[in-house]
Amino acid sequence: ESEEKLDEESLFYLGRIENAATRMSKLLNDLLAFSRIVTHGRAFQKVDLNRIAREVLGQRAPDLEAAGADVTLGDLPTITADPSQVQQFLGHLLDNALKFRRPGEAPHIKVKGVLEEDEAGRPVCRLHVTDNGIGFDEKYAERIFNPFERLHGRSHYQGTGMGLAICRRIAERHDGTLVARSTPGEGTTLIATMPVEQRPQAAGDGAASA
């Protein structure tokens, strides 16, 4: 009987160690991705956001199906960007929408892009990713972009707290911004604004290290 108890305790602690190691591995990978956004960025090129978005949806098809999610993909423009970082960017935003869904309700996610001009008259793309999830109080709208920041406990929502920090860093590398609009219980919209064409000095940032 004592041997069975010891075995149960051993399995319990081994499970905790394994979970901790998995979390640490994910955290280290996210920290590495965060630190390399500028130093290991690729040269900017013409990127069809429609194609990138379809690739991201294809990669996450099992997760979308498991959650019963539907995604409405609007017509997205072509911009000058780092294609691998744009793919990473959209992936994190989609993961965020799936993670913070309301219990018992299928996620509805909308992705759209609008071409506008900013205050300086420069053409920009405003990319909106909207969900019907749990939302949050907008007084936390800046905190969610801080590394390791969590508005909800790990027991309810898994993750390293780095996804949106990575997204904002990618937007900034593209001379853009990322902001959030949300209402508790009614969902969240993440809005990325990026220039359609990059300035020459921005295009070289990190390209030599690719």
Side-chain angles (χ1 to χ4, degrees), residues 3-20:
E3 290 181 357
E4 290 180 1
K5 183 177 180 181
L6 179 62
D7 288 341
E8 290 175 1
E9 289 180 351
S10 298
L11 289 172
F12 172 75
Y13 287 113
L14 283 172
R16 292 190 64 178
I17 292 170
E18 183 178 6
N19 289 337

Side-chain angles (χ1 to χ4, degrees), residues 52-73 90-101 105-111 129-132:
I52 297 291
R54 286 194 295 268
E55 289 177 357
V56 170
L57 290 176
Q59 293 166 357
R60 283 157 175 78
D63 294 331
L64 292 168
E65 184 176 349
D70 68 80
V71 181
T72 301
L73 187 62
L90 287 173
H92 278 302
L93 293 188
L94 190 61
D95 290 343
N96 190 75
L98 282 176
K99 182 191 302 183
F100 297 107
R101 60 184 182 270
E105 186 162 347
H108 299 290
I109 305 167
K110 298 179 181 179
V111 182
V129 178
T130 302
D131 64 56
N132 65 330

Side-chain angles (χ1 to χ4, degrees), residues 163-180:
L164 291 182
I166 289 172
C167 287
R168 176 167 275 188
R169 178 66 70 88
I170 290 173
E172 290 172 347
R173 192 213 163 197
H174 288 75
D175 198 20
T177 60
L178 178 62
V179 298

